[in-house]
Amino acid sequence: MRKIIAGNWKMNGKLENLLEIKKISNEFALSEIEIVICPPFTLLSAASEIAKNIYLGAQNLHPESEGAFTGEISADMLVDLGITHSIIGHSERRTEHNETNELVARKVNISLNKKLQTIICIGETELQRKENRTLEIIEQQLLDSLASNITFEKLIVAYEPIWAIGTGLIPEASEISKIHNFIRVKLVELFGSNASNIPLLYGGSVNGSNAPEIFRVANVNGALVGGASLSFEKFAPIIRAIENTDP
């Protein structure tokens, strides 16, 4: 099973911050971990010049290949730049930009069709968790955001409990295990036994201290990291933690 650490810079970073990517690229030149940095669109071109040993991803893309969509970026544009990964359906896109499961499904479809490694994000709110609806919400997001006829070989699923993002809170290891096992079962039901090879990432306040425990959980194949990925000093320990985790 692939091990993946993806860093989502969100709306952070300027040219001076490319030094952090260079440090990661140099430090982990021989690593077998799939390391992905997703800076803002403005840095992708410059980052591609220095990210020699790691992958670059986009934080979003448009569901159409081209057209009169002012301010948008297409999958074709990303591929043309050499980008290899994309993040689709992040909770901030779903909540702050009103992205529906239907729209997410369209984006996932075009991202996979353009051969991008596609990280689809799913997760519940704090209220949904308190109402014990976590598994219901996750199942609905999977069913509605993934078409049954997609080519899933480049699909990556990230579970990001919305209530944990940026709060420093994380679910208990037993809860992460329950949810990731549930996701694995649902993916196999959707796509067959080969879906057991779809990497599952955990996202939600991952740091160097809690990463070792998280990576020991079954069906956790990596992490989608937010703020900690902006700094070499904070991101590197997370990568080392998964390097030191048994397969």
Side-chain angles (χ1 to χ4, degrees):
M1 175 66 73
R2 294 155 59 196
K3 293 182 178 181
I4 303 170
I5 300 294
N8 177 17
W9 282 20
K10 306 186 180 184
M11 197 176 72
N12 297 292
K14 296 182 288 187
L15 288 173
E16 62 190 35
N17 299 104
L18 292 175
L19 179 61
E20 305 303 314
I21 295 179
K22 186 174 183 179
K23 290 178 181 178
I24 290 290
S25 183
N26 291 339
E27 178 72 14
F28 296 97
L30 302 178
S31 178
E32 296 181 357
I33 306 302
E34 188 173 325
I35 303 169
V36 188
I37 303 290
C38 302
F41 288 130
T42 54
L43 294 181
L44 285 174
S45 181
S48 66
E49 298 297 319
I50 61 174
K52 302 304 180 184
N53 307 302
I54 61 177
Y55 300 95
L56 291 176
Q59 299 174 21
N60 186 34
L61 50 75
H62 194 273
E64 299 293 337
S65 295
E66 60 184 2
F69 304 106
T70 300
E72 297 291 342
I73 300 291
S74 73
D76 281 325
M77 293 174 179
L78 297 171
V79 171
D80 185 54
L81 198 59
I83 303 307
T84 56
H85 292 64
S86 68
I87 299 175
I88 306 295
H90 191 279
S91 61
E92 291 155 6
R93 298 296 310 179
R94 292 177 183 266
T95 57
E96 297 181 18
H97 298 271
N98 302 313
E99 291 198 359
T100 63
N101 288 333
E102 185 274 335
L103 178 58
V104 170
R106 292 174 58 203
K107 290 186 175 185
V108 167
N109 189 57
I110 196 165
S111 181
L112 291 173
N113 283 342
K114 300 300 181 180
K115 311 303 182 184
L116 289 168
Q117 297 283 344
T118 304
I119 304 171
I120 179 175
C121 302
I122 57 175
E124 83 283 12
T125 66
E126 183 177 12
L127 176 60
Q128 290 165 341
R129 181 175 186 247
K130 289 180 178 178
E131 294 175 342
N132 295 315
R133 298 179 60 210
T134 295
L135 298 184
E136 171 197 340
I137 295 300
I138 287 174
E139 180 174 18
Q140 198 63 54
Q141 287 178 333
L142 283 173
L143 291 174
D144 293 350
S145 300
L146 297 175
S148 59
N149 62 344
I150 63 172
T151 302
F152 61 84
E153 283 76 9
K154 293 184 179 294
L155 182 68
I156 303 163
V157 177
Y159 166 59
E160 45 162 21
I162 298 173
W163 53 272
I165 297 175
T167 65
L169 302 172
I170 66 168
E172 296 289 336
S174 59
E175 187 176 355
I176 296 174
S177 176
K178 176 183 177 181
I179 294 169
H180 276 239
N181 290 342
F182 178 81
I183 294 171
R184 176 70 69 208
V185 168
K186 291 301 171 182
L187 289 172
V188 170
E189 288 179 358
L190 278 172
F191 303 118
S193 60
N194 286 340
S196 60
N197 294 319
I198 296 174
L200 303 184
L201 312 184
Y202 172 77
S205 295
V206 179
N207 57 51
S209 298
N210 60 36
E213 181 181 12
I214 293 172
F215 295 147
R216 285 194 293 268
V217 175
N219 278 318
V220 173
N221 311 120
L224 178 59
V225 183
S229 67
L230 287 160
S231 161
F232 171 82
E233 285 73 18
K234 293 180 179 180
F235 197 41
I238 299 174
I239 300 171
R240 294 191 183 104
I242 199 167
E243 285 183 327
N244 295 327
T245 303
D246 294 332

